Amino acid sequence: MTQLQSGDVAKLVVKEVLESKYILNNPQPETAELIEILLNKSEVLEELVVGDFVEVFLFADRRGGLSATTMIPHVLKDQYGWAKVLQVKDYEGAKVDIGTSREVTIQAMDLPVLRELWPEPGDHVYMTLRTDREGALFGRLITEDRLTDLYAEAAPELFNKNIKARPYRLLPVGTFLIGVDEPYRIFVHETERTAEPRLGEEVTVRVIEVKEDGTVNASMLPRVYERLSADADKIFEYLQQAGGKMPFGDKSSPDEIYEMFGMSKGAFKRALGTLMKAERIIQADGWTTIKE
């Protein structure tokens, strides 16, 4: 006998229509325990009548029984998917949206040890659904073993491309991520990032290696020319704020440059070269000036 449980999706029949709810039961009582399940009319988009069949998602209600909703979640037991974080509380964990009227909690003990690496509202975590003995619904984060069976193999053509990804596993040696549009398995070594992203935080990574097994090594650092552009923008913004002229140039000392701009003299000179090539500045008598 197959018993209906919280977290199941089932096709049931309308047995009775009441003022504010429907009473459902299993259309094949010989194969399942015959129980009555409540479906509030607020959980239904179209009016039902006795005898109608309806697909529903089951959850444990406050009475200890089963209730139903027609809003089928996109994350189910033994099925993984993205869930949006709605709320985070220190001792409770993260409440997430799985696409139904019931919110689900990822318990605090299942989140990273460091509080600053917990997801924030708006982040997305890759998870499945689980229930406890009372039928309460909880989220279970993807594990390395499960992702090994589920990840999409990356093609060699992905090399040097930018892709969006979200972390699912955080380690001192680096960050493991899942691709947003395709579930690639991605690793970013600690030397290839300037800061450690949160669990579920959406970031853009650059593919630096596609391995034989289809997994990806990536970087969160900008390309060289992007870094030059960022330094050049920083210097030009300073010039604009300083009235179009500054007493810094090729001859300035490394200490002066680092104290003012937070970059090495080599990076500073390359950024000046970029601005001069673009004909945005001129240098004369130890001064750098915006070109009119």
Side-chain angles (χ1 to χ4, degrees), residues 1 24 30 42 49 67 94 117 145 163 188 190 215 222 247 255 259 280 283 285:
M1 178 182 293
L24 311 178
E30 70 278 3
S42 61
V49 297
S67 289
L117 297 180
D145 288 342
I163 56 177
V188 174
E190 61 171 339
T215 61
D255 290 342
E259 183 178 353
R280 299 178 71 183
Q283 290 192 83
D285 300 325

Side-chain angles (χ1 to χ4, degrees), residues 5-117:
Q5 297 178 334
S6 175
D8 289 347
V9 174
K11 195 166 188 179
L12 305 179
V13 65
V14 178
K15 175 187 175 184
E16 187 178 354
V17 179
L18 303 178
E19 183 177 349
S20 62
K21 56 194 172 187
Y22 301 98
I23 305 297
L24 311 178
N25 64 17
N26 199 301
Q28 298 176 306
E30 70 278 3
T31 62
E33 181 182 1
L34 184 59
I35 57 175
E36 294 184 346
I37 295 173
L38 299 181
L39 172 63
N40 286 327
K41 289 187 176 180
S42 61
E43 300 281 357
V44 179
L45 296 178
E46 297 181 358
E47 188 174 347
L48 302 173
V49 297
V50 173
D52 280 350
F53 286 83
V54 58
E55 187 176 49
V56 293
F57 174 70
L58 304 178
F59 57 88
D61 56 32
R62 294 179 181 178
R63 301 173 296 106
L66 287 177
S67 289
T69 175
T70 58
M71 289 179 272
I72 310 298
H74 55 261
V75 176
L76 295 167
K77 289 188 291 187
D78 298 322
Q79 295 183 24
Y80 287 83
W82 293 111
K84 183 179 179 179
V85 177
L86 301 174
Q87 186 182 49
V88 180
K89 292 187 177 181
D90 285 346
Y91 299 103
E92 296 180 19
K95 288 190 180 297
V96 298
D97 177 11
I98 60 172
T100 186
S101 57
R102 314 300 296 181
E103 295 177 0
V104 171
T105 298
I106 300 174
Q107 294 180 303
M109 62 183 179
D110 295 325
L111 295 174
V113 174
L114 296 178
R115 178 63 176 81
E116 59 266 29
L117 297 180

Side-chain angles (χ1 to χ4, degrees), residues 257-278:
I257 292 169
Y258 188 82
E259 183 178 353
M260 181 58 64
F261 300 101
M263 64 183 76
S264 68
K265 183 169 182 177
F268 180 74
K269 291 178 68 175
R270 288 191 293 270
L272 289 180
T274 299
L275 292 170
M276 292 179 68
K277 187 175 181 180

